[in-house]
Amino acid sequence: MALRVAVIGTGNMGIHHLRNYYHNPDVELIGFVETNEKNAAKVKSKYPIEQFINFKEVLGKVDAVSIATPTSTHFEVASFFLNHQIHVLLEKPITDNIEEAENLIEIAKQKNVLLSIGHIERFNPVIQELKDILKKEKPVFIEIHRESPFDSRIYDVDVISDLMIHDIDALYYILKRKLNIISSIGVKVHSNKNDLVNVHLSSDNILINIITSRATEQKIRNWRVVLKDKLIEADLLERKLYLSSKTEAGKKIFDTNTEHQYSQEQITAKILMKNDEPLRIEIDNFIQSILGNTVLEVEGKDGLKALKLIKAIQDSIITI
């Protein structure tokens, strides 16, 4: 029997949730909740499903919901469904503040329903591969660039809550270590909140530098991971990963009568990635967890952990 699902909010991210549910064989997509008629018209032009104006209208018609509304509404909407024993996939960040996040986690526990948080990068094949590589060898330095053009539709959070939180969660997921703040600095470019932020972290003698921007006229999602004798370069957008290391061969590839000799000092390998859409995998994990076929990958406690660190960064940041 298919799970009955509705998508709450069909803006930038919600419409992609809707697309993936629509094509999921284990889902009956009963409709979507949207007050913005421009967004609603876009949905209706593609999918023959019902529109609801108030999220409470879908009660009794659904087993699960995806919530992709502004962060300031997360607690109100998610707590309503959890209290009525409806499973929730909630876009990141989990809530505006730590107390609300803790309350959502407690409600989900008391009502025995799933609360999953949309930390989508965990499902990126590149992050999965990085996690496997770094199980075997500890890095010494990680540099992360997550940069995008400014989007005026994201009005209620700064770039830390909007974008950096993806990499914070991914670091926790990969390293399984505590992250400590060394310094954080930000600048307001297009809004009254920090639009470009540089944060230095440490984790068990690993130095981490994160540059996050929504003031860059190019979309960049790059990680550079330095190990003792290797360099990993990862492109999360193109889903490409390169591993450079010294070669033991040291073979001469060209030898003249002069003093110069040419040898292969380094080799770079391209690691092939599956071209799976991370959001499709995330939603499938949510659905299959409800059906009892797998374990939920991202729980409310993971969203809370990432939220605590971004709040600490926001509290410590120096805005120039």
Side-chain angles (χ1 to χ4, degrees):
M1 185 177 176
L3 279 173
R4 301 170 302 161
V5 177
V7 175
I8 319 298
T10 55
N12 235 14
M13 198 67 194
I15 195 164
H16 295 297
H17 279 252
L18 194 146
R19 169 176 55 81
N20 278 283
Y21 283 120
Y22 187 78
H23 294 291
N24 191 307
D26 292 315
V27 167
E28 178 191 352
L29 185 61
I30 66 101
F32 68 103
V33 178
E34 183 56 74
T35 57
N36 183 302
E37 280 308 315
K38 186 177 178 181
N39 289 346
K42 190 175 179 181
V43 172
K44 290 175 181 177
S45 70
K46 295 182 178 181
Y47 307 103
I49 55 176
E50 187 175 356
Q51 177 189 2
F52 301 90
I53 302 301
N54 190 305
F55 63 85
K56 295 180 182 179
E57 294 177 60
V58 303
L59 188 63
K61 301 177 181 181
V62 296
D63 305 301
V65 294
S66 262
I67 300 171
T69 57
T71 306
S72 56
T73 69
H74 281 190
F75 180 76
E76 178 192 4
V77 181
S79 62
F80 172 81
F81 287 107
L82 292 172
N83 273 313
H84 287 91
Q85 295 184 296
I86 305 298
H87 304 285
V88 170
L89 172 54
L90 180 61
E91 265 302 329
K92 58 77 200 166
I94 179 172
T95 52
D96 254 344
N97 61 66
I98 291 167
E99 183 181 359
E100 288 179 344
E102 290 173 338
N103 286 341
L104 285 186
I105 292 166
E106 184 59 29
I107 295 168
K109 181 181 178 181
Q110 289 179 0
K111 297 297 180 179
N112 195 30
V113 287
L114 297 185
L115 169 62
S116 186
I117 310 303
H119 287 296
I120 193 172
E121 290 294 18
R122 288 195 182 203
F123 301 92
N124 191 316
V126 173
I127 292 295
Q128 291 286 336
E129 190 68 33
L130 272 175
K131 183 172 179 281
D132 288 342
I133 292 171
L134 297 183
K135 280 179 184 175
K136 304 165 190 172
E137 192 171 351
K138 179 182 166 184
V140 294
F141 177 66
I142 300 173
E143 183 171 55
I144 300 169
H145 286 258
R146 183 174 293 266
E147 303 177 45
S148 295
F150 183 69
D151 185 349
S152 59
R153 292 171 294 186
I154 310 297
Y155 61 87
D156 66 335
V157 293
D158 63 11
V159 75
I160 303 169
S161 294
D162 182 20
L163 296 178
M164 186 180 289
I165 193 169
H166 282 298
D167 298 301
I168 295 298
D169 178 71
L171 284 166
Y172 276 132
Y173 178 61
I174 289 171
L175 298 177
K176 304 293 185 189
R177 292 179 171 93
K178 184 181 177 183
L179 299 174
N180 305 297
I181 302 168
I182 299 172
S183 67
S184 55
I185 189 165
V187 61
K188 299 172 184 177
V189 182
H190 297 296
S191 72
N192 64 351
K193 300 180 186 295
N194 283 310
D195 297 309
L196 196 156
V197 171
N198 186 195
V199 171
H200 287 90
L201 306 171
S202 67
S203 179
D204 190 20
N205 296 323
I206 304 168
L207 181 62
I208 302 164
N209 182 36
I210 307 176
I211 296 175
T212 311
S213 168
R214 57 183 182 192
T216 305
E217 293 307 313
Q218 184 182 4
K219 200 170 181 180
I220 301 167
R221 304 284 186 270
N222 292 342
W223 283 45
R224 292 180 77 250
V225 182
V226 178
L227 294 91
K228 188 176 180 181
D229 57 358
K230 298 181 186 71
L231 170 66
I232 302 169
E233 297 176 282
D235 186 330
L236 275 60
L237 271 182
E238 298 293 329
R239 294 173 202 155
K240 294 178 180 177
L241 194 148
Y242 297 91
L243 177 63
S244 300
S245 59
K246 289 181 180 179
T247 175
E248 298 297 327
K251 293 178 181 177
K252 298 175 184 177
I253 58 172
F254 185 72
D255 194 356
T256 66
N257 291 326
T258 67
E259 294 179 0
H260 302 292
Q261 294 182 337
Y262 297 82
S263 63
Q264 185 177 352
E265 297 276 335
Q266 190 181 75
I267 187 167
T268 299
K270 180 180 179 181
I271 300 174
L272 299 177
M273 299 285 112
K274 290 181 180 178
N275 197 28
D276 293 332
E277 181 186 3
L279 182 59
R280 183 195 65 76
I281 304 170
E282 177 184 73
I283 284 174
D284 194 56
N285 175 258
F286 177 57
I287 295 300
Q288 294 307 316
S289 296
I290 296 170
L291 294 172
N293 298 327
T294 191
V295 176
L296 191 64
E297 185 64 50
V298 191
E299 300 180 64
K301 65 181 182 181
D302 299 306
L304 175 60
K305 193 173 185 178
L307 180 66
K308 283 181 175 179
L309 185 58
I310 67 166
K311 288 296 182 186
I313 292 169
Q314 288 164 337
D315 289 343
S316 66
I317 199 165
I318 298 170
T319 300
I320 58 172

